[in-house]
Amino acid sequence: MSVERGLATRLLAVAKLLAPLLLMASAGLAAQSSDSPPTPPFAAGAGIYRAHCASCHENPGSHAPAPGALGMLAPESILRALTTGPMMQQASSLTPAQKADVAQYLAKRALGSGAAVAGPLMCRGKAARFDRSKPPVFPGWGLDAGNTHAISSQTAGIGRANVSRLKLKWAFAFPNAINAHSQPALAGGAIYVGGNDGVLYVLDQETGCARWTYAASAAVRTGVTVSPWRAGDTKAAPLVYFGDTLGNAYGLDAVTGKLRWKRSIDPHPTRTMTGTPALHDGVLYVPVSSLEEPAAMVPTYACCTFRGSLLALDAMTGKERWRSYLIDQPAKRIGTTGAGTAIMGPSGVSTWSTPVIDDARRQIYLTTGDNYSQPATERSDAIVALDRDSGRIKWVSQVEPDDMWNAACMSKAPGSCPQGNGPDHDFGSAAILATGPDGKAYLLAGQKSGEAYALDPDTGRVIWKRKVGRGGVFGGIHFGLAAANGLVYLPVSDFPDGVAPDADARPGLYALNIATGAPVWSAPAPNVCGGRPFCQPGYSAAITVTPELVFAGSTDGHLRIFDAIDGKLLWDKDTNVAYTSVNGTAGHGGSISAGAAPLAVGGQLIVNSGYGFLSKMPGNMLLVFDTR
C-alpha cells in the first residue's frame, strides 16, 4: 500500500467516525432550544465551504468544478481530493473533521451512507485474453510520430460512405466521476483508459468487460501509452504508461497489470501530470506541470515556486536520464502581499501537453504555459526545441512575452496576482510536425489566444500566424489541433471566462493551408444548448482527422463528424444523455473537452464524454460507436 493511499485510508476512517458524532452533536444542540429552527443537514460543512471554497468553486473564471458538478460525486471521493488529491494544498488549513463536513455538504449525504459502487463487469473466456496479434494501433497520444492526430482511412474504417451507419455499441461509466478525459490506448484487443476515480481500466474492445484494473494514487487525467511489440511475439513484455494528478508516473505490465515502476515526477508539492508521456526508443519523455496556479487563491499561500520541466525516464525502469527546466533558477522572495504573505518568483512555465519527437533532427518540441508570478521569463507562452539525447535547449520561440497570471487574479483577495494580470494565454495544446502541400516540414501550434502558428523546425522562426478565435482563459485553441491533407484543423472554444470580452466569440472549426496559413473552410459552432446549465457552443477538446473526415467533440456534448475537405457536417450525436453501463450501472454524458480526442479504429469510434471543470457539463462516460 502506498504512503498516499495509506494516509487516505486513515483519514477516511477518522472522517467516518467523526461524521456521525458531529451530526449527533448538531441534533443535540437543536433539541436544547425548541425555539430555534431545525438545523439543515450538514450545516457545518456549508459554513466551511462558504469560508474556504466558494470563492473559487463559484467563480466562473476559476478552474474549479461548480458545486452542482461536485454533487455527482460520493462524499468519499470529495474527501480524497481534499486529503491526498488535487485540493490537498487548498484544504491544508482544515482539520480532518472540517474536510469531512465539506465533503458531506457538497455530496448532500453522509460518509458511508451510499450503496457500494458496482465494479466493472469482469471478462471471461476469449474476451479476457491478451491478443498478441494486435500490437498498439498508435505509437502514443499524437497518433503518429508528428503528433498530427491523423489516422489513415484504412486504420479508421470510417469514411464518407459508412459514417451514417455509426450506432452506439457499448458504454462504460467511470464510477464516482465527473470527468472523462483520458485518451485511451488500443492494444492487445483492449482499450486502456484512465478514470477520474483513480483507476486504470483495461476493457475488451468488443464487449467493454474489464480484463484487469489498477488503482493509482489519484485521478488519471493523462492519456495512456502502450509500448510496441511485433505481432504474434509470444515473448513480448509490453508496458503501459500514464500519470496521475498527484504527479506520479507509472509503468505497468500491459498483460497482467502488475506494477513495474512508479515515481514522483517532481519534488514540488503541487506537481501534476496533464500531458501524456511520449515514448520513443526506450525513453519516456514526461511533461511536468503543476496545480500551483489555483493554489494562489489561498491568501496565506506563498505564490509561486514551481518551475516546469521535461523529464526523460528509462522506459523499462523509470530511472531518470535527464531533466530540462524551463526556468533556469529556483524562485526567491521578491515581495510581500498586503496580508503579509511572501511573493515568490520567477515561477510557472508548465508543460500541459505531449511533446513531439523529431527523429530526423533529433529534437523534441514543447509548448509552454505562462508565468505564475513575477518576473516574466523568456520561455513562457513559447514553442521550445530541445536536444533529444541531452535535453539541452536549442531554440525558443516566445510568441507572447510578459504573460503572468494565477487564479488570485480572479479572486476577491488578489494579493498574489502579478502585475499585468495575464492574459493567461498558455499553450494547452501540443505542437504538431507536419508536411505542407509544398512538401516542406512545418511545426504547427495553437494558443489559447485564438492564434495559430507555423514555425521553421530548424530555427524556430515564425513563418506565419493567424488569429482564428477571440481567445481567453479557456481558449481559443485549447487542448489539441490536427493536420492532414495539407491542412491544419483548429478547434476553437471561445468559452466565456468571466473576463470582459474585447471581440465577438468565434467558436467553431477552422481549416488553414499549412504552408501559408490561408483559410480554406470554417464551420461555426451552432448554439444548441437551449439554456442547459454549463452548456456552451465550441470545441475545446483535441480532435482527430482522416483523409476524409474530422472528428470533433464539443463543449455542448455533441460529437460531430465533418468532411475534411469542405467542412460539411456529416454526422451529429448528442452525448449529453443518460446511459446504462456494460455492468448495469447508470451514467451520463456531458461536455467533451481536454486532451482526449475521438479515436476511429476498424469501423469503431471511441470517445469520452463529461468534463466537470471550467464551468462545463460534468459526465462520466466512455462511449464506443460502430458502423457494423
Side-chain angles (χ1 to χ4, degrees), residues 297-314:
M297 291 190 81
V298 180
T300 56
Y301 183 80
C303 174
C304 284
T305 57
F306 174 81
R307 49 186 181 143
S309 64
L310 181 69
L311 175 64
L313 301 177
D314 183 284

Side-chain angles (χ1 to χ4, degrees), residues 49 53-54 56-59 64-73 78 105-108 178 534 612 618:
Y49 166 80
C53 314
C56 187
H57 286 276
E58 296 181 15
N59 183 341
L70 293 171
M72 293 177 59
L73 296 173
I78 300 172
Y105 166 70
L106 289 169
K108 297 297 184 285
I178 57 173
F534 310 122

Side-chain angles (χ1 to χ4, degrees), residues 38-39 53 186 289 349 366 394 396 401 457 468 506 530 606:
T39 303
C53 314
L186 308 174
S289 187
V349 196
L366 295 176
K394 299 180 70 174
V396 177
V468 293
R506 289 181 281 175
I606 303 164

Side-chain angles (χ1 to χ4, degrees), residues 197-208:
D197 60 340
V199 175
L200 180 77
Y201 294 91
V202 183
L203 308 175
D204 177 65
Q205 192 171 339
E206 289 302 312
T207 66

Side-chain angles (χ1 to χ4, degrees), residues 23-45:
L23 291 173
M24 289 171 63
S26 296
L29 289 172
Q32 291 174 15
S33 175
S34 59
D35 296 329
S36 301
T39 303
F42 315 119

Side-chain angles (χ1 to χ4, degrees), residues 245-270:
T245 55
L246 286 179
N248 297 304
Y250 298 82
L252 309 181
D253 186 305
V255 180
T256 66
K258 181 179 179 181
L259 178 67
R260 295 301 184 191
W261 58 261
K262 172 186 174 183
R263 67 168 296 136
S264 174
I265 61 170
D266 194 272
H268 199 277
T270 67

Side-chain angles (χ1 to χ4, degrees), residues 185-224:
L186 308 174
I191 299 173
Y192 293 74
V193 62
N196 194 230
D197 60 340
V199 175
L200 180 77
Y201 294 91
V202 183
L203 308 175
D204 177 65
Q205 192 171 339
E206 289 302 312
T207 66
C209 65
R211 294 180 180 175
W212 54 262
T213 63
Y214 175 84
S217 297
V220 180
R221 174 166 178 167
T222 74
V224 183

